[in-house]
Amino acid sequence: MLWFIYGYSLAFTAGNPLIGSFDKVLFNGMCNAAVQQVSMSGTSPELRFAACQATFPGWTCALVVGSLAERTRLSSFLVLTVIWFTLAYLPICHMVWFADEQHGGLRNSRGALDFAGGTVVHINAGIAGLV
């Protein structure tokens, strides 16, 4: 739910090199017929791209749950997930996968390659589980 409320906006909009902006909170402006024709990636509409990207934070949180199984209460984990998603997942996602003319993202400006979410999902979840 956090992805649909503010996560996509902070991960995939222009802001600064660390994090995006709140321009598309609650998918603001993405459901209009005129805007839906504009695609962010290839020929896919941006709303479909955003919905597909929602799977990655879900899997990342599931990987973190595996490291915490039977070691913490559910309520504590839910609070941790909200904080971790906002302060760790979204900045890494923005820095690696989002690219525009000003920042370029790590993928374009530094030559980082992220195959199948290795950096954003697996390294991020592994370090969170270790911590």
Side-chain angles (χ1 to χ4, degrees):
M1 295 307 296
L2 297 175
W3 180 257
F4 295 105
I5 296 170
Y6 65 90
Y8 177 77
S9 182
L10 289 176
F12 287 100
T13 57
N16 59 51
L18 182 64
I19 195 75
S21 67
F22 288 105
D23 291 343
K24 295 187 179 181
V25 169
L26 294 172
F27 289 173
N28 183 25
M30 290 175 52
C31 296
N32 299 339
V35 175
Q36 193 170 8
Q37 298 302 321
V38 177
S39 65
M40 182 171 181
S41 175
T43 58
S44 179
E46 187 174 5
L47 188 59
R48 185 182 306 155
F49 174 77
C52 177
Q53 286 292 322
T55 61
F56 293 109
W59 279 110
T60 308
C61 290
L63 290 170
V64 175
V65 167
S67 68
L68 299 175
E70 297 185 15
R71 294 187 182 125
T72 184
R73 289 178 289 169
L74 178 63
S75 60
S76 300
F77 175 72
L78 293 176
V79 170
L80 171 73
T81 301
V82 171
I83 295 169
W84 174 81
F85 172 78
T86 305
L87 300 178
Y89 181 84
L90 292 177
I92 295 295
C93 182
H94 179 76
M95 288 187 283
V96 174
W97 285 342
F98 179 74
D100 68 355
E101 295 79 31
Q102 283 126 0
H103 323 99
L106 291 176
R107 179 173 49 184
N108 295 340
S109 66
R110 304 275 188 225
L113 298 175
D114 186 26
F115 298 105
T119 303
V120 177
V121 176
H122 296 100
I123 293 174
N124 204 355
I127 290 174
L130 181 64
V131 170

